[in-house]
Amino acid sequence: MSSVPDGKKLVRSPSGLRMVPENGAFNSPFSLDEPQWVPDKECSRCMQCDTKFDFIRRKHHCRRCGRCFCDKCCSKKVALPRMCFVDPVRQCAECGLVSQKEMEFYDKQLKVLLGGGTFVVTLGSSDRSETMTCRLSNNHRYLFFDGETHFEVELSRISSMQILTDGASPGGGTSRASGMLLHYKPMGSQDAQQLRMEAADDKKVASLWLAAMHKAAKLLYEARDQ
């Protein structure tokens, strides 16, 4: 449950130091597992440039994909928060670019989600709506809804997420996110529930929160599919 404190512990893996939850069940839904490294005996050449390894040209493993490269093709150390590494770790060029793009989510959009936005929330087919603040929990595992009532949605129990838009903006600009439609299974239930959120008074803040949530959904689905 969301009320259980999430302790952290420092662990050392072959790839480096990681700060992970003491209970693995409390991992962030955005996190990725460390890959299995390609065994040294199965890798005699760089998997990027095909350079043959010898006493001078040493092999290195990318911490994100686990493949084997020479120093030239795997020299850059990049932050990898999705695997909970404390320090930047060695990654191949392809993985390094992906990790750098993800850092925008952790540096900017995650803070927006934690800060929250105000929405008009409707559950199921009810004709009753409530103005609520929605924010991501500090452990990234829940969406908290606070108004006259309170409830939460566990991200791992969301089956679909659709961002709603208000059409093209004045002047022919791009459409702006104005709401979100979720389908999820409440705790203790196997029946899907629909939740509709529409931006309340501060539509700019709500739109930024929804855009951040759209990015979060991509990471969430990627983590599920690994």
Side-chain angles (χ1 to χ4, degrees), residues 21-49:
E22 290 183 348
N23 187 331
F26 296 149
N27 284 337
S28 165
F30 307 128
S31 65
L32 297 173
D33 294 332
E34 285 190 79
Q36 291 287 332
W37 284 10
V38 174
D40 286 347
K41 62 182 180 181
E42 296 179 11
C43 187
S44 59
R45 293 178 177 271
C46 173
M47 301 179 79
Q48 178 65 40
C49 69

mmCIF file of all heavy atoms in Angstrom, residues 21-49:
data_model
loop_
_atom_site.group_PDB
_atom_site.id
_atom_site.type_symbol
_atom_site.label_atom_id
_atom_site.label_comp_id
_atom_site.label_asym_id
_atom_site.label_seq_id
_atom_site.Cartn_x
_atom_site.Cartn_y
_atom_site.Cartn_z
ATOM 1 N N PRO A 21 15.232 0.075 -3.582
ATOM 2 C CA PRO A 21 14.336 -0.160 -2.450
ATOM 3 C C PRO A 21 14.707 -1.449 -1.727
ATOM 4 O O PRO A 21 15.132 -2.429 -2.351
ATOM 5 C CB PRO A 21 12.954 -0.276 -3.111
ATOM 6 C CG PRO A 21 13.089 0.429 -4.418
ATOM 7 C CD PRO A 21 14.492 0.178 -4.857
ATOM 8 N N GLU A 22 14.581 -1.450 -0.394
ATOM 9 C CA GLU A 22 14.882 -2.656 0.378
ATOM 10 C C GLU A 22 13.953 -3.792 -0.014
ATOM 11 O O GLU A 22 14.339 -4.958 -0.015
ATOM 12 C CB GLU A 22 14.756 -2.362 1.870
ATOM 13 C CG GLU A 22 15.857 -1.449 2.408
ATOM 14 C CD GLU A 22 15.749 -1.235 3.897
ATOM 15 O OE1 GLU A 22 14.712 -1.603 4.479
ATOM 16 O OE2 GLU A 22 16.703 -0.692 4.492
ATOM 17 N N ASN A 23 12.732 -3.456 -0.334
ATOM 18 C CA ASN A 23 11.767 -4.439 -0.799
ATOM 19 C C ASN A 23 11.594 -4.262 -2.295
ATOM 20 O O ASN A 23 11.135 -3.221 -2.759
ATOM 21 C CB ASN A 23 10.423 -4.255 -0.084
ATOM 22 C CG ASN A 23 9.426 -5.360 -0.408
ATOM 23 O OD1 ASN A 23 9.455 -5.954 -1.488
ATOM 24 N ND2 ASN A 23 8.541 -5.639 0.533
ATOM 25 N N GLY A 24 11.967 -5.284 -3.071
ATOM 26 C CA GLY A 24 11.897 -5.188 -4.523
ATOM 27 C C GLY A 24 10.506 -4.913 -5.056
ATOM 28 O O GLY A 24 10.348 -4.398 -6.160
ATOM 29 N N ALA A 25 9.490 -5.233 -4.257
ATOM 30 C CA ALA A 25 8.120 -4.995 -4.691
ATOM 31 C C ALA A 25 7.810 -3.509 -4.779
ATOM 32 O O ALA A 25 6.813 -3.109 -5.379
ATOM 33 C CB ALA A 25 7.139 -5.671 -3.728
ATOM 34 N N PHE A 26 8.675 -2.676 -4.165
ATOM 35 C CA PHE A 26 8.431 -1.240 -4.154
ATOM 36 C C PHE A 26 9.281 -0.495 -5.180
ATOM 37 O O PHE A 26 9.478 0.715 -5.069
ATOM 38 C CB PHE A 26 8.694 -0.663 -2.755
ATOM 39 C CG PHE A 26 7.751 -1.195 -1.711
ATOM 40 C CD1 PHE A 26 8.162 -1.343 -0.398
ATOM 41 C CD2 PHE A 26 6.454 -1.541 -2.054
ATOM 42 C CE1 PHE A 26 7.280 -1.837 0.566
ATOM 43 C CE2 PHE A 26 5.577 -2.027 -1.091
ATOM 44 C CZ PHE A 26 5.984 -2.180 0.215
ATOM 45 N N ASN A 27 9.783 -1.211 -6.188
ATOM 46 C CA ASN A 27 10.531 -0.555 -7.254
ATOM 47 C C ASN A 27 9.652 0.452 -7.981
ATOM 48 O O ASN A 27 8.438 0.258 -8.116
ATOM 49 C CB ASN A 27 11.039 -1.592 -8.266
ATOM 50 C CG ASN A 27 12.236 -2.365 -7.758
ATOM 51 O OD1 ASN A 27 12.961 -1.897 -6.881
ATOM 52 N ND2 ASN A 27 12.446 -3.555 -8.294
ATOM 53 N N SER A 28 10.269 1.508 -8.484
ATOM 54 C CA SER A 28 9.543 2.460 -9.314
ATOM 55 C C SER A 28 9.037 1.742 -10.562
ATOM 56 O O SER A 28 9.751 0.925 -11.146
ATOM 57 C CB SER A 28 10.462 3.612 -9.731
ATOM 58 O OG SER A 28 9.898 4.347 -10.796
ATOM 59 N N PRO A 29 7.809 2.019 -10.998
ATOM 60 C CA PRO A 29 7.292 1.379 -12.208
ATOM 61 C C PRO A 29 8.032 1.810 -13.468
ATOM 62 O O PRO A 29 7.873 1.198 -14.520
ATOM 63 C CB PRO A 29 5.823 1.819 -12.246
ATOM 64 C CG PRO A 29 5.774 3.073 -11.454
ATOM 65 C CD PRO A 29 6.806 2.910 -10.379
ATOM 66 N N PHE A 30 8.855 2.863 -13.374
ATOM 67 C CA PHE A 30 9.645 3.305 -14.519
ATOM 68 C C PHE A 30 10.999 2.597 -14.590
ATOM 69 O O PHE A 30 11.727 2.748 -15.567
ATOM 70 C CB PHE A 30 9.897 4.820 -14.449
ATOM 71 C CG PHE A 30 8.659 5.640 -14.273
ATOM 72 C CD1 PHE A 30 8.564 6.570 -13.259
ATOM 73 C CD2 PHE A 30 7.571 5.479 -15.117
ATOM 74 C CE1 PHE A 30 7.424 7.343 -13.095
ATOM 75 C CE2 PHE A 30 6.424 6.229 -14.958
ATOM 76 C CZ PHE A 30 6.345 7.166 -13.948
ATOM 77 N N SER A 31 11.359 1.846 -13.565
ATOM 78 C CA SER A 31 12.700 1.277 -13.486
ATOM 79 C C SER A 31 12.867 0.109 -14.455
ATOM 80 O O SER A 31 11.907 -0.569 -14.834
ATOM 81 C CB SER A 31 13.005 0.817 -12.059
ATOM 82 O OG SER A 31 12.163 -0.255 -11.678
ATOM 83 N N LEU A 32 14.122 -0.108 -14.836
ATOM 84 C CA LEU A 32 14.489 -1.219 -15.705
ATOM 85 C C LEU A 32 15.430 -2.156 -14.957
ATOM 86 O O LEU A 32 16.227 -1.712 -14.132
ATOM 87 C CB LEU A 32 15.198 -0.712 -16.967
ATOM 88 C CG LEU A 32 14.406 0.196 -17.909
ATOM 89 C CD1 LEU A 32 15.330 0.733 -19.000
ATOM 90 C CD2 LEU A 32 13.228 -0.553 -18.515
ATOM 91 N N ASP A 33 15.342 -3.447 -15.240
ATOM 92 C CA ASP A 33 16.275 -4.406 -14.661
ATOM 93 C C ASP A 33 17.624 -4.303 -15.370
ATOM 94 O O ASP A 33 17.702 -3.961 -16.557
ATOM 95 C CB ASP A 33 15.740 -5.837 -14.810
ATOM 96 C CG ASP A 33 14.480 -6.070 -13.996
ATOM 97 O OD1 ASP A 33 14.308 -5.403 -12.956
ATOM 98 O OD2 ASP A 33 13.660 -6.922 -14.409
ATOM 99 N N GLU A 34 18.681 -4.621 -14.638
ATOM 100 C CA GLU A 34 19.992 -4.690 -15.285
ATOM 101 C C GLU A 34 19.999 -5.813 -16.306
ATOM 102 O O GLU A 34 19.440 -6.886 -16.072
ATOM 103 C CB GLU A 34 21.082 -4.947 -14.249
ATOM 104 C CG GLU A 34 21.446 -3.751 -13.404
ATOM 105 C CD GLU A 34 22.685 -4.030 -12.575
ATOM 106 O OE1 GLU A 34 23.795 -3.959 -13.123
ATOM 107 O OE2 GLU A 34 22.532 -4.344 -11.391
ATOM 108 N N PRO A 35 20.631 -5.598 -17.468
ATOM 109 C CA PRO A 35 20.656 -6.647 -18.493
ATOM 110 C C PRO A 35 21.672 -7.735 -18.167
ATOM 111 O O PRO A 35 22.610 -7.519 -17.391
ATOM 112 C CB PRO A 35 21.086 -5.881 -19.749
ATOM 113 C CG PRO A 35 21.988 -4.814 -19.208
ATOM 114 C CD PRO A 35 21.364 -4.395 -17.893
ATOM 115 N N GLN A 36 21.477 -8.891 -18.743
ATOM 116 C CA GLN A 36 22.501 -9.927 -18.694
ATOM 117 C C GLN A 36 23.626 -9.539 -19.640
ATOM 118 O O GLN A 36 23.385 -9.187 -20.780
ATOM 119 C CB GLN A 36 21.904 -11.280 -19.123
ATOM 120 C CG GLN A 36 20.910 -11.871 -18.132
ATOM 121 C CD GLN A 36 21.607 -12.411 -16.883
ATOM 122 O OE1 GLN A 36 22.760 -12.823 -16.938
ATOM 123 N NE2 GLN A 36 20.890 -12.395 -15.765
ATOM 124 N N TRP A 37 24.858 -9.580 -19.166
ATOM 125 C CA TRP A 37 25.987 -9.249 -20.028
ATOM 126 C C TRP A 37 26.255 -10.385 -21.021
ATOM 127 O O TRP A 37 26.155 -11.570 -20.667
ATOM 128 C CB TRP A 37 27.246 -9.031 -19.197
ATOM 129 C CG TRP A 37 27.281 -7.710 -18.489
ATOM 130 C CD1 TRP A 37 26.263 -6.805 -18.359
ATOM 131 C CD2 TRP A 37 28.394 -7.141 -17.802
ATOM 132 N NE1 TRP A 37 26.662 -5.715 -17.642
ATOM 133 C CE2 TRP A 37 27.976 -5.883 -17.282
ATOM 134 C CE3 TRP A 37 29.696 -7.558 -17.578
ATOM 135 C CZ2 TRP A 37 28.820 -5.054 -16.553
ATOM 136 C CZ3 TRP A 37 30.544 -6.735 -16.847
ATOM 137 C CH2 TRP A 37 30.115 -5.503 -16.339
ATOM 138 N N VAL A 38 26.600 -10.017 -22.247
ATOM 139 C CA VAL A 38 27.068 -11.015 -23.207
ATOM 140 C C VAL A 38 28.343 -11.638 -22.647
ATOM 141 O O VAL A 38 29.282 -10.911 -22.298
ATOM 142 C CB VAL A 38 27.357 -10.369 -24.583
ATOM 143 C CG1 VAL A 38 27.981 -11.395 -25.531
ATOM 144 C CG2 VAL A 38 26.085 -9.785 -25.185
ATOM 145 N N PRO A 39 28.397 -12.969 -22.498
ATOM 146 C CA PRO A 39 29.596 -13.600 -21.913
ATOM 147 C C PRO A 39 30.855 -13.271 -22.709
ATOM 148 O O PRO A 39 30.824 -13.205 -23.944
ATOM 149 C CB PRO A 39 29.267 -15.104 -21.992
ATOM 150 C CG PRO A 39 27.772 -15.156 -22.036
ATOM 151 C CD PRO A 39 27.339 -13.943 -22.804
ATOM 152 N N ASP A 40 31.959 -13.047 -21.994
ATOM 153 C CA ASP A 40 33.222 -12.702 -22.649
ATOM 154 C C ASP A 40 33.630 -13.726 -23.699
ATOM 155 O O ASP A 40 34.136 -13.374 -24.770
ATOM 156 C CB ASP A 40 34.332 -12.568 -21.603
ATOM 157 C CG ASP A 40 34.208 -11.290 -20.783
ATOM 158 O OD1 ASP A 40 33.424 -10.403 -21.190
ATOM 159 O OD2 ASP A 40 34.877 -11.184 -19.745
ATOM 160 N N LYS A 41 33.398 -14.998 -23.400
ATOM 161 C CA LYS A 41 33.836 -16.052 -24.320
ATOM 162 C C LYS A 41 33.046 -16.048 -25.620
ATOM 163 O O LYS A 41 33.478 -16.660 -26.614
ATOM 164 C CB LYS A 41 33.725 -17.420 -23.642
ATOM 165 C CG LYS A 41 32.313 -17.811 -23.250
ATOM 166 C CD LYS A 41 32.306 -19.158 -22.548
ATOM 167 C CE LYS A 41 30.886 -19.571 -22.139
ATOM 168 N NZ LYS A 41 30.881 -20.869 -21.425
ATOM 169 N N GLU A 42 31.881 -15.388 -25.623
ATOM 170 C CA GLU A 42 31.069 -15.317 -26.833
ATOM 171 C C GLU A 42 31.305 -14.032 -27.610
ATOM 172 O O GLU A 42 30.643 -13.768 -28.610
ATOM 173 C CB GLU A 42 29.578 -15.422 -26.476
ATOM 174 C CG GLU A 42 29.186 -16.756 -25.860
ATOM 175 C CD GLU A 42 27.715 -16.810 -25.502
ATOM 176 O OE1 GLU A 42 26.967 -15.899 -25.923
ATOM 177 O OE2 GLU A 42 27.314 -17.767 -24.811
ATOM 178 N N CYS A 43 32.257 -13.235 -27.143
ATOM 179 C CA CYS A 43 32.464 -11.911 -27.754
ATOM 180 C C CYS A 43 33.951 -11.703 -28.027
ATOM 181 O O CYS A 43 34.703 -11.308 -27.134
ATOM 182 C CB CYS A 43 31.920 -10.834 -26.827
ATOM 183 S SG CYS A 43 31.936 -9.188 -27.525
ATOM 184 N N SER A 44 34.360 -11.961 -29.244
ATOM 185 C CA SER A 44 35.769 -11.782 -29.615
ATOM 186 C C SER A 44 35.996 -10.484 -30.376
ATOM 187 O O SER A 44 37.145 -10.058 -30.562
ATOM 188 C CB SER A 44 36.240 -12.948 -30.485
ATOM 189 O OG SER A 44 35.450 -13.028 -31.672
ATOM 190 N N ARG A 45 34.892 -9.839 -30.803
ATOM 191 C CA ARG A 45 34.982 -8.586 -31.552
ATOM 192 C C ARG A 45 33.966 -7.579 -31.030
ATOM 193 O O ARG A 45 32.924 -7.958 -30.485
ATOM 194 C CB ARG A 45 34.736 -8.824 -33.048
ATOM 195 C CG ARG A 45 35.819 -9.659 -33.736
ATOM 196 C CD ARG A 45 35.484 -9.883 -35.195
ATOM 197 N NE ARG A 45 36.540 -10.624 -35.879
ATOM 198 C CZ ARG A 45 37.593 -10.058 -36.470
ATOM 199 N NH1 ARG A 45 37.708 -8.723 -36.458
ATOM 200 N NH2 ARG A 45 38.513 -10.784 -37.062
ATOM 201 N N CYS A 46 34.273 -6.301 -31.234
ATOM 202 C CA CYS A 46 33.351 -5.232 -30.845
ATOM 203 C C CYS A 46 32.047 -5.387 -31.616
ATOM 204 O O CYS A 46 32.050 -5.591 -32.845
ATOM 205 C CB CYS A 46 33.981 -3.875 -31.145
ATOM 206 S SG CYS A 46 32.864 -2.466 -30.883
ATOM 207 N N MET A 47 30.932 -5.294 -30.927
ATOM 208 C CA MET A 47 29.630 -5.492 -31.548
ATOM 209 C C MET A 47 29.133 -4.251 -32.285
ATOM 210 O O MET A 47 28.031 -4.242 -32.813
ATOM 211 C CB MET A 47 28.616 -5.946 -30.492
ATOM 212 C CG MET A 47 29.021 -7.241 -29.803
ATOM 213 S SD MET A 47 27.882 -7.828 -28.523
ATOM 214 C CE MET A 47 26.601 -8.567 -29.546
ATOM 215 N N GLN A 48 29.997 -3.216 -32.332
ATOM 216 C CA GLN A 48 29.673 -2.015 -33.103
ATOM 217 C C GLN A 48 30.585 -1.876 -34.314
ATOM 218 O O GLN A 48 30.118 -1.779 -35.439
ATOM 219 C CB GLN A 48 29.783 -0.772 -32.219
ATOM 220 C CG GLN A 48 29.508 0.540 -32.951
ATOM 221 C CD GLN A 48 28.082 0.644 -33.444
ATOM 222 O OE1 GLN A 48 27.141 0.255 -32.754
ATOM 223 N NE2 GLN A 48 27.900 1.165 -34.659
ATOM 224 N N CYS A 49 31.901 -1.874 -34.102
ATOM 225 C CA CYS A 49 32.841 -1.606 -35.207
ATOM 226 C C CYS A 49 33.579 -2.860 -35.682
ATOM 227 O O CYS A 49 34.369 -2.789 -36.629
ATOM 228 C CB CYS A 49 33.848 -0.535 -34.799
ATOM 229 S SG CYS A 49 35.028 -1.074 -33.534
#
